[in-house]
């Protein structure tokens, strides 16, 4: 998603771009039920996608706008409430299938002049004085003035660029499923922080909710092994039956969670973006949004340099992007990590203090507005 958005953004700024992708994205069809992988897209992401000419198509296809967010602490009962109207917006964001965004971007690439090279597995690359030469599995080498690395959290190309990444394994998995509930979701993103981890119920366009339930690995395995009825019961208990009982569920999937931020976002003729640069806990629903902010910044910095007749691959130009996005990405990653730690710690005195803190943030209008504005990008 992030690499394709970047290719499109750079092509729209007049750059000559090739996108190398190992696997063709899965086709999205309107008649099919909603895919299990969904993300909360922030207004900044919708704005970027709109500028790339793809948002209207995505919005018309299937999105679920949400206007409210309720986040509460199981231990203290303290709750944070966000409402779009208080931010002067019609919605806080949209729940969208990853597959729909990726497929729409993929289909817009060729018309924008991007050369799609797929399937193309980049095996390695060499940085030369004036270019980067890429070796593809079973294909001819390709070369380019700049290599944008967006190969995801397990990025092998980042390692080859000599860039280390730091962070920690959460030893958690996010269990995802689409569920029907007794009560309507009310266009609200619900998230309850429990002793085991946060469980989110995100509103889907068809009236169901998408569960994202972060659990310690062993507990996640237990939950994944439950039959449908037992899973519905467990999800209802974990969400405190806020939407009533969970009545039906799809099969479940799960994803390992880790925190990871690259030491640098540029090296020689390479820049990093998306999960290759930063992987964050899904509790704030921000991973792809941060990646799309990288795209906006990179396209802006490279475009400005080229428009001014400068060498857009010059180190000081790439460093301008790298410094700006690394500090923003690292700050977000640490902030989400701090929230994860804050809610994971269950000492009795601490839970009472945390409850006071959550209530104070909820009551402090300017602080809450600043948090919402940051999440909106
Ligand atoms: C449970 C869960 C919930 C989430 N919820 C949200 C949310 O609500 N909001 C949000 O903003 N984010 C969310 N995220 C994060 C979001 O999903 C990721 O940040 C985003 O998908 C990362 O996209 P990416 O394009 O950077 O990387 P990826 O999606 O990993 O894409 C990498 C691409 O590179 C290709 N590739 C890899 N290696 C090579 C190679 N050698 N040669 C060629 N191609 C290669 C792969 O085929 C793939 O297409 C969530 C994540 C999880 C796990």
């Amino acid at each position: 998603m992030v690499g394709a958005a970047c290719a499109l953004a750079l092509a729209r700024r007049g750059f000559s771009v090739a996108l190398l992708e190992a696997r063709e994205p899965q086709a999205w069809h309107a008649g099919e039920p909603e895919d299990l992988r969904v993300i909360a897209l922030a207004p900044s992401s919708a704005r970027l996608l709109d500028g790339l000419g793809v948002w209207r198509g995505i919005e018309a296809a299937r999105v679920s706008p949400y206007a409210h967010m309720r986040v509460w602490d199981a231990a203290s009962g303290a709750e944070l409430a966000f409402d779009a109207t208080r931010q002067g917006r019609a919605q806080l964001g949209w729940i969208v299938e990853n597959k729909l965004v990726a497929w729409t971007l993929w289909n817009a690439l060729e018309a924008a002049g991007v050369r799609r090279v797929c399937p193309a597995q980049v095996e390695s690359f060499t940085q030369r004085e004036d270019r980067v030469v890429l070796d593809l599995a079973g294909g001819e080498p390709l070369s380019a003035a700049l290599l944008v690395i967006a190969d995801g959290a397990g990025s092998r190309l980042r390692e080859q660029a000599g860039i280390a990444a730091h962070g920690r394994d959460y030893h958690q998995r996010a269990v995802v499923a689409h569920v029907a509930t007794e009560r309507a979701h009310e266009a609200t993103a619900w998230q309850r922080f429990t002793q085991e981890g946060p469980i989110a119920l995100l509103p889907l366009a068809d009236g169901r909710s998408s569960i994202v339930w972060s659990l310690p690995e062993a507990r996640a395995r237990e939950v994944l092994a439950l039959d449908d009825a037992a899973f519905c019961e467990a999800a209802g208990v974990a969400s405190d039956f806020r939407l009533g009982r969970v009545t039906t569920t799809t099969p479940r999937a799960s994803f390992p969670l880790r925190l990871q931020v690259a030491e640098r976002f540029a090296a020689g003729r390479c820049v990093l973006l998306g999960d290759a640069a930063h992987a964050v806990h899904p509790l704030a629903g921000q991973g792809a949004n941060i990646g799309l902010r990288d795209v906006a910044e990179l396209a802006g910095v490279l475009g400005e340099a080229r428009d001014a007749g400068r060498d857009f691959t010059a180190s000081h130009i790439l460093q301008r992007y790298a410094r700006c996005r690394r500090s923003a990405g690292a700050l977000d990653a640490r902030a989400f990590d701090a929230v994860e730690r804050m809610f994971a710690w269950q000492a009795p005195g601490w839970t009472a203090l945390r409850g006071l803190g959550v209530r104070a943030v909820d009551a402090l209008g300017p602080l809450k507005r600043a948090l919402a504005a940051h999440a909106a990008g």
Side-chain angles (χ1 to χ4, degrees):
M1 186 191 304
V2 177
C6 188
L8 195 54
L10 292 177
R12 294 248 192 269
R13 302 271 325 208
F15 289 93
S16 160
V17 187
L19 177 77
L20 311 178
E21 170 53 65
R23 287 171 287 120
E24 178 151 338
Q26 278 179 288
W28 182 90
H29 298 291
E32 289 177 1
E34 290 191 57
D35 193 57
L36 264 191
R37 286 297 308 268
V38 297
I39 46 170
L41 276 188
S44 59
S45 297
R47 231 175 4 254
L48 174 90
L49 295 171
D50 196 32
L52 299 180
V54 293
W55 176 246
R56 283 186 194 176
I58 293 171
E59 206 180 9
R62 184 158 65 198
V63 302
S64 175
Y66 61 97
H68 318 279
M69 195 186 290
R70 298 288 179 264
V71 181
W72 74 108
D73 177 18
S76 66
E79 180 164 317
L80 262 176
F82 294 95
D83 296 293
T85 49
R86 305 287 296 259
Q87 324 294 328
R89 304 172 190 280
Q91 61 279 310
L92 294 172
W94 296 261
I95 307 300
V96 190
E97 291 152 88
N98 294 33
K99 185 170 144 178
L100 169 60
V101 182
W103 183 239
T104 310
L105 285 166
W106 183 252
N107 287 314
L109 290 169
E110 279 190 339
V114 176
R115 182 176 157 209
R116 294 190 318 203
V117 189
C118 181
Q121 177 83 31
V122 182
E123 290 284 352
S124 62
F125 65 88
T126 320
Q127 298 216 45
R128 303 232 172 111
E129 177 83 25
D130 61 340
R131 1 217 62 227
V132 185
V133 181
L134 299 149
D135 293 314
L136 309 185
E140 293 289 306
L142 276 176
S143 76
L146 178 70
L147 172 63
V148 178
I149 299 178
D151 56 345
S155 175
R156 284 182 43 229
L157 299 182
R158 179 192 59 229
E159 280 171 22
Q160 283 190 30
I163 304 177
H166 303 292
R168 69 181 176 114
D169 189 332
Y170 284 110
H171 300 294
Q172 292 174 5
R173 295 190 79 83
V175 175
V176 300
H178 292 343
V179 298
T181 52
E182 269 179 338
R183 283 187 39 214
H185 56 50
E186 298 169 1
T188 302
W190 307 89
Q191 182 154 243
R192 180 174 190 240
F193 282 88
T194 75
Q195 198 165 349
E196 290 181 324
I199 179 167
L201 286 153
L202 308 174
L204 293 174
D206 64 8
R208 292 181 301 164
S209 295
S210 166
I211 282 188
V212 182
W213 192 0
S214 304
L215 290 164
E217 268 158 14
R219 176 73 181 125
R221 274 195 296 278
E222 279 172 26
V223 163
L224 288 165
L226 296 174
D227 63 26
D228 285 5
F231 177 79
C232 288
E233 178 59 20
V237 170
S239 60
D240 203 19
F241 298 103
R242 195 69 179 248
L243 298 184
R245 278 187 316 111
V246 173
T247 50
T248 62
T249 179
T250 59
R252 276 68 69 194
S254 77
F255 303 89
L257 301 182
R258 65 175 142 160
L259 163 73
Q260 186 174 279
V261 182
E263 221 167 51
R264 293 172 287 151
F265 281 16
R269 291 180 170 273
C270 303
V271 290
L272 293 186
L273 45 69
D275 275 20
H278 41 67
V280 299
H281 198 287
L283 63 85
Q286 285 291 332
N289 292 307
I290 303 172
L292 293 173
R293 282 170 213 152
D294 298 342
V295 170
E297 181 68 22
L298 184 66
V301 167
L302 297 184
E304 258 174 47
R306 222 190 53 159
D307 295 348
R310 300 200 197 99
D311 172 9
F312 64 87
T313 65
S315 165
H316 69 281
I317 304 283
L318 301 185
Q319 286 307 327
R320 192 180 309 158
Y321 157 78
R323 271 197 302 273
C324 161
R325 289 312 302 160
R326 185 175 188 286
S327 62
L331 195 68
D332 281 333
R334 283 202 207 102
F336 307 149
D337 189 47
V339 173
E340 197 280 332
R341 287 177 196 266
M342 213 167 75
F343 282 94
W345 204 29
Q346 297 293 331
W350 173 247
T351 51
L353 197 63
R354 186 174 63 214
L356 284 176
V358 171
R359 288 191 182 96
V361 173
D362 194 54
L364 285 171
L367 179 57
K368 211 163 79 164
R369 271 197 298 281
L371 281 175
H374 185 72

